[in-house]
Amino acid sequence: MAELDTSGKDGGKGGKVRSKKASTKVDLTAMVDLAFLLITFFMLTTSLSKPQAMDIAKPDKDAKDENRLELRESQTMTILLGKNDRIAWYMGEAGKSAPTIEGYNDIRASLLKNKKDVKDASGRDIVIIVKPTDGATYKNFVDIMDEINITKTNINAPAVDDDPKHLLDSERDFMKSKGIL
């Protein structure tokens, strides 16, 4: 049906013809059902990731001297976690080699270099001892453990010694002199 438009500019004498459009309705019930079926399918078939725990070796408080593991100085890297997101590390025995101070952005390269140097020199894997100090935060500890895990530095668990009594005098003095303890 066509209606005569009398609102034209010519004062109602002749004009445009306008047609009525039928309204369209779409029933989306089937689409909603399909969406829920797809969501249910993907929820049931997706495998959820399981949290992974990292193994950490800590010294036993009641350890006897006969159970101690002797490590070669040449394959041992000690990492001291200090304040202000700073790390001091050294290879070998404390006091015999000067520690290097780095940030968390640089430690990965040092881990990889020391791992390669130990492997080339002795054919053995590097052993890492992590010593958090009072100035270190939990975030610092998690960051260094992540870096060790990312670089696949240890086959076994890294050793963590968080007892402040085990921080050697030479380590404490060095860190105090550099302002990171």
Side-chain angles (χ1 to χ4, degrees), residues 3-146:
E3 290 183 8
L4 189 58
D5 185 11
T6 59
S7 64
K9 292 182 181 174
D10 57 356
K13 301 178 184 170
K16 299 178 187 173
V17 175
R18 194 182 298 174
S19 64
K20 284 188 177 179
K21 294 184 180 177
S23 64
T24 57
K25 282 189 174 182
V26 177
D27 187 16
L28 294 177
T29 306
M31 186 68 75
V32 172
D33 288 344
L34 179 64
F36 279 113
L37 281 173
L38 286 173
I39 290 172
T40 305
F41 172 76
F42 287 119
M43 284 176 54
L44 293 175
T45 58
T46 302
S47 63
L48 300 175
S49 63
K50 296 177 184 171
Q52 296 177 349
M54 184 176 199
D55 291 330
I56 295 175
K58 288 187 66 170
D60 189 9
K61 291 183 180 183
D62 300 327
K64 297 180 175 114
D65 288 338
E66 61 206 36
N67 294 336
R68 294 180 62 123
L69 176 65
E70 296 296 324
L71 300 173
R72 289 183 172 84
E73 294 176 16
S74 61
Q75 74 182 82
T76 305
M77 178 179 183
T78 304
I79 298 174
L80 306 167
L81 305 179
K83 65 181 180 181
N84 300 328
D85 295 335
R86 304 302 289 169
I87 299 170
W89 65 267
Y90 61 90
M91 291 295 295
E93 189 176 342
K96 291 187 177 179
S97 58
T100 303
I101 297 179
E102 292 181 334
Y104 285 89
N105 296 334
D106 305 322
I107 193 67
R108 187 179 301 179
S110 298
L111 285 168
L112 290 171
K113 179 188 174 300
N114 291 336
K115 176 184 175 181
K116 182 183 180 308
D117 291 347
V118 168
K119 192 70 162 175
D120 292 345
S122 66
R124 297 177 185 247
D125 291 317
I126 191 169
V127 176
I128 296 179
I129 301 170
V130 178
K131 292 184 175 182
T133 62
D134 292 336
T137 63
Y138 181 74
K139 179 188 178 306
N140 296 146
F141 179 73
V142 171
D143 288 345
I144 195 65
M145 297 309 284
D146 283 343

